[in-house]
Amino acid sequence: MNTTLASLHFAQAAEYLVPSLVHGAGLVLQTTLAGFFLATLAGVLIAVGRLFAWRPFRVMLYGFLEIIRGTPLLVQLVYIYYVVPLLLNLLAGMFGYKTDVQISPMAAGIAGLAINYGCYMSEVIRGGILSIDRGQTEASLCLGFGRFETLVRIILPQAFKSIVPALGNYLVMMIKDTSLLAYVAVNELLLRTQTFASQTFFTIEAYTYLALAYLILSVPLSHCVKLVEYKLSNSERQ
Amino acid sequence: MFNIFNLQKNYGTIEVLKNITMRIDDGEVVTIIGPSGSGKSTFLRCLNLLEVATAGRIFYNGTLLDQELDSKRLRREVGMVFQKFNLFPMFTVLKNVMYAPMHVNKLPRREAETLAYELLAKVGLTDRAGMYPSQLSGGQQQRVAIARALAMQPKMLLFDEPTSALDPELVGEVLQVMKKLRQDGMTMAIVTHEMGFAKDVSDHVVFMDKGYVVEEGQPQQIFNQPKEERTQQFLNRILLGV
């Protein structure tokens, strides 16, 4: 086998792989956007629940958090994609229904990302809420706002402002973690590359392009996050 | 306006307020003085249910307050000004003042804005409307906080040490605004360490110590001829530094 650099076929690999990766990148962005939006929502709900909900509910949330943080994202994805439908069918069977529930790869992937990241982000959001001076809540209550309105109008906007950098990091991490979705058959970048490499044996070329693709996605994004952070810290002098 | 009977507040085993009975009439200015830790602020916070009393009853215009039940309605009528101002840092001065009228009282934006400008004029800060709280001095922030409380058109205002967090030279401007409110006939309950001010504006002075109301009466009587030794001691320490 020829082992010189000349034996690498970057141009040839690019011809087939790059369009495919561009296509996959769209999917990755969609997944990340949906996943991050849902994760933020879940994070807020979990954080608020853990701070203010009825005590037994708080304990349940904490238990859930421990389960999610104690298991790998990859396992969770596989579980949601393969196991949850089986469990649902089993459950339906117990009540005498014959069902064939299936979850689409995309849906399973987004759900997994949202739940996993939601749990981690809830801790950051909880910290953000706790960092706001109690006086803000009191002032708002004294103006006649209820507890929920106070949280939504006064506390959360301030909490979010202080945690934007941390949340931004999660966004960049998530874009890279979408590569795990290859294992639940989402045709994202890694899966496309694997398929291509195994068909053509352009292993070095293919995975180098893959790494580049992730760099091109995540580096500008992390700079966007920095920009937002900078804008926020200058919008008002504190 | 307020009728308070045998009010008691405990934090765990610590008794902060012990059996306080008091009455605040419409249009009256009551100042509450006393050493720190005597329960003055806690008492004030019980009046608008920021704290829930352990025992005792509070009547507001004849209605018994029970915990959270009436708190929203009550707080629309009884405003509060805090020691640390507690302005909303993400809003401009104008928005701070017009926010509650708009969202609690559902006033249209234009009306809320007009109201806010009127109140800012009253506290002498019209020209600061577009600034953020962090760009103002403490005295200015407290005046905005007063305007914000007034924007709900309350029947009564509670002041929790409104000048204690201010540099000495900024105290006067806040007291000036409060004097103006008194002239307008606002009912006020004020926790303060400004004895000269208390003597000037009060209809009624309450001296608290260790959770008790030790003595209450007309300002002349409390400041010139206190009956209780503890009142005398406290006033000497504050006024004469002995």
Side-chain angles (χ1 to χ4, degrees):
Chain A
M1 193 178 173
N2 193 342
T3 54
T4 63
L5 281 177
S7 68
L8 295 177
H9 300 85
F10 275 99
Q12 206 182 334
E15 202 179 315
Y16 296 98
L17 186 58
V18 168
S20 172
L21 287 182
V22 168
H23 208 77
L27 205 68
V28 165
L29 287 175
Q30 273 175 27
T31 314
T32 308
L33 219 65
F36 193 73
F37 175 75
L38 293 174
T40 309
L41 205 69
V44 170
L45 291 176
I46 295 170
V48 169
R50 285 200 59 204
L51 284 170
F52 306 115
W54 186 49
R55 201 180 184 89
F57 193 66
R58 270 188 267 175
V59 175
M60 274 168 54
L61 278 177
Y62 184 68
F64 181 69
L65 217 66
E66 287 286 57
I67 292 171
I68 298 300
R69 288 187 303 185
T71 50
L73 174 56
L74 183 55
V75 173
Q76 290 161 16
L77 287 168
V78 169
Y79 203 89
I80 292 172
Y81 184 57
Y82 294 108
V83 183
V84 167
L86 292 178
L87 283 176
L88 288 175
N89 289 331
L90 196 71
L91 200 71
M94 279 161 58
F95 289 98
Y97 296 100
K98 186 118 181 67
T99 55
D100 184 24
V101 177
Q102 282 185 8
I103 300 180
S104 80
M106 259 305 249
I110 289 173
L113 287 172
I115 292 170
N116 183 277
Y117 274 74
C119 282
Y120 284 101
M121 282 159 66
S122 80
E123 286 295 275
V124 177
I125 295 168
R126 200 165 70 99
I129 293 173
L130 287 173
S131 74
I132 306 303
D133 191 298
R134 237 199 99 60
Q136 292 289 311
T137 303
E138 289 181 354
S140 170
L141 291 177
C142 285
L143 288 169
F145 287 108
R147 293 209 162 267
F148 180 73
E149 281 174 297
T150 297
L151 184 71
V152 173
R153 291 179 181 280
I154 304 296
I155 304 305
L156 284 180
Q158 293 185 61
F160 265 92
K161 212 188 132 203
S162 64
I163 58 175
V164 159
L167 294 188
N169 286 337
Y170 280 110
L171 179 64
V172 179
M173 274 167 63
M174 187 185 278
I175 219 173
K176 291 177 286 182
D177 273 350
T178 56
S179 58
L180 294 173
L181 268 51
Y183 290 91
V184 290
V186 175
N187 202 11
E188 47 65 74
L189 304 182
L190 178 59
L191 191 59
R192 283 165 191 267
T193 309
Q194 277 176 339
T195 312
F196 177 78
S198 64
Q199 285 166 354
T200 60
F201 300 106
F202 291 156
T203 309
I204 295 175
E205 299 86 335
Y207 287 101
T208 306
Y209 281 127
L210 176 66
L212 277 175
Y214 277 113
L215 272 174
I216 289 168
L217 284 172
S218 64
V219 170
L221 191 67
S222 66
H223 282 274
C224 282
V225 169
K226 280 215 185 87
L227 195 72
V228 171
E229 189 186 326
Y230 177 80
K231 282 257 156 81
L232 275 177
S233 66
N234 279 283
S235 68
E236 140 214 344
R237 276 172 280 164
Q238 282 238 53
Chain B
M1 183 151 281
F2 272 110
N3 263 308
I4 300 123
F5 297 104
N6 308 102
L7 190 70
Q8 201 173 320
K9 174 73 186 174
N10 302 348
Y11 290 119
T13 55
I14 305 162
E15 297 181 341
V16 186
L17 294 177
K18 296 164 192 165
N19 210 28
I20 292 187
T21 296
M22 200 190 294
R23 182 192 154 106
I24 301 172
D25 289 328
D26 284 8
E28 198 181 33
V29 176
V30 177
T31 52
I32 303 163
I33 59 172
S36 36
S38 58
K40 310 181 296 284
S41 291
T42 308
F43 171 70
L44 210 61
R45 293 158 60 85
C46 283
L47 292 186
N48 66 355
L49 296 173
L50 277 183
E51 302 281 353
V52 178
T54 311
R57 288 187 296 176
I58 302 175
F59 290 91
Y60 172 71
N61 289 336
T63 320
L64 178 68
L65 303 184
D66 46 357
Q67 303 203 5
E68 292 290 314
L69 202 68
D70 279 322
S71 64
K72 261 174 106 170
R73 219 195 65 214
L74 174 76
R75 288 174 187 146
R76 278 176 217 178
E77 297 186 9
V78 180
M80 191 169 206
V81 174
F82 302 87
Q83 180 176 357
K84 291 191 305 183
F85 332 131
N86 296 339
L87 293 176
F88 303 132
M90 66 291 196
F91 295 161
T92 61
V93 164
L94 184 69
K95 195 165 177 192
N96 262 284
V97 180
M98 62 189 275
Y99 197 68
M102 261 181 77
H103 297 288
V104 177
N105 287 348
K106 311 288 178 207
L107 219 59
R109 171 177 290 273
R110 289 247 311 280
E111 283 175 46
E113 209 172 289
T114 313
L115 174 69
Y117 272 115
E118 263 169 43
L119 292 169
L120 286 176
K122 189 171 203 163
V123 300
L125 288 170
T126 315
D127 53 334
R128 299 288 194 271
M131 292 189 164
Y132 285 93
S134 54
Q135 296 169 298
L136 304 184
S137 73
Q140 290 170 334
Q141 288 192 51
Q142 193 61 295
R143 282 145 66 198
V144 174
I146 293 173
R148 180 177 70 172
L150 287 172
M152 289 300 289
Q153 298 175 309
K155 301 203 166 104
M156 178 178 180
L157 281 181
L158 308 173
F159 289 86
D160 188 4
E161 305 203 24
T163 58
S164 297
L166 299 178
D167 291 336
E169 77 267 24
L170 303 177
V171 169
E173 62 191 65
V174 172
L175 297 184
Q176 210 60 47
V177 169
M178 292 169 67
K179 278 182 186 162
K180 225 190 279 181
L181 293 181
R182 193 220 144 87
Q183 283 160 14
D184 297 346
M186 176 65 74
T187 310
M188 300 193 269
I190 306 166
V191 170
T192 186
H193 292 291
E194 297 293 328
M195 294 304 149
F197 173 75
K199 199 169 164 181
D200 265 11
V201 304
S202 315
D203 297 303
H204 198 89
V205 177
V206 177
F207 173 67
M208 284 180 69
D209 191 18
K210 298 189 174 117
Y212 291 103
V213 171
V214 176
E215 185 169 359
E216 59 176 315
Q218 308 253 314
Q220 298 308 322
Q221 183 256 308
I222 298 284
F223 286 104
N224 299 338
Q225 294 118 23
K227 291 189 197 116
E228 300 290 328
E229 205 188 317
R230 256 146 80 198
T231 318
Q232 183 70 63
Q233 278 173 356
F234 173 75
L235 290 173
N236 283 348
R237 209 168 55 233
I238 287 237
L239 297 173
L240 310 169
V242 262

